[in-house]
Amino acid sequence: WRVWYERLGHLWSRWAPHRARRLSAGDWAVLVEAYWTLAVVEARRRLLPGPKLLRLAEGPAISPAGQWTLEKIRRVAWLVEVAANRQPVEIRCLTRSVALARILRRRGVQAELRMGVKSEAGRIDAHAWVEWQGRVLHDPGEQSGAYVELQGV
């Protein structure tokens, strides 16, 4: 635990305190939820078969959808990215996407987990992302357009 705690402290110290002060109480709540959701999803990704992991993205809504705008949803996606970049292990797109979809669905937002593949230089590569009303919510480098979406996943 000590090593994990030290690693976590180092990762959070890289985030400038002036940025942390700009977060609202709601942002902090999402950030804490995202941090732990990512940790749980990553642990399950390593232990569970694929279909069981993907079911995590289909969690039930705990609160009604309310007035969600693309801006608010992208803010949640950004907070998930912030939390993912401060984990003690590398968090890949599948874990990020499942966690984001789960967090949004808990808030009543009907976000959809998408997965795709591409072949490049004789190698098959896969990618996962989340969409809401046909818009990609998080996709650093906008990679999703280069992938052929898998249907029925």
Side-chain angles (χ1 to χ4, degrees):
W1 284 104
R2 188 172 146 237
V3 171
W4 189 86
Y5 181 77
E6 288 172 2
R7 172 82 172 132
L8 180 63
H10 168 73
L11 292 170
W12 278 102
S13 69
R14 291 187 345 204
W15 202 31
H18 68 279
R19 289 183 185 161
R21 284 193 294 267
R22 284 189 253 169
L23 296 178
S24 68
D27 286 345
W28 275 106
V30 171
L31 190 62
V32 169
E33 179 184 357
Y35 191 84
W36 292 110
T37 301
L38 284 158
V40 168
V41 171
E42 178 63 15
R44 289 185 173 185
R45 184 188 67 79
R46 294 170 186 240
L47 299 171
L48 294 177
K52 285 188 178 183
L53 177 68
L54 297 180
R55 276 190 288 233
L56 290 174
E58 300 170 356
I62 291 178
S63 62
Q67 295 291 345
W68 283 93
T69 63
L70 183 59
E71 181 181 334
K72 286 181 182 178
I73 292 172
R74 285 212 167 124
R75 179 73 174 186
V76 171
W78 176 76
L79 290 164
V80 170
E81 288 298 310
V82 168
N85 291 334
R86 280 149 186 86
Q87 293 285 327
V89 297
E90 180 185 1
I91 302 296
R92 296 189 176 199
C93 62
L94 181 60
T95 300
R96 290 171 193 250
S97 297
V98 169
L100 175 59
R102 183 170 181 83
I103 289 168
L104 288 172
R105 284 194 171 247
R106 287 175 51 100
R107 287 163 173 74
V109 177
Q110 293 302 310
E112 299 293 328
L113 176 66
R114 304 284 190 219
M115 296 190 322
V117 294
K118 72 176 179 180
S119 177
E120 192 172 88
R123 182 183 103 144
I124 294 179
D125 192 24
H127 183 54
W129 63 95
V130 177
E131 291 183 359
W132 176 70
Q133 296 183 349
R135 295 183 175 108
V136 177
L137 299 179
H138 78 104
D139 191 19
E142 299 180 15
Q143 300 175 41
S144 60
Y147 291 81
V148 175
E149 186 178 336
L150 298 172
Q151 300 297 320
V153 177

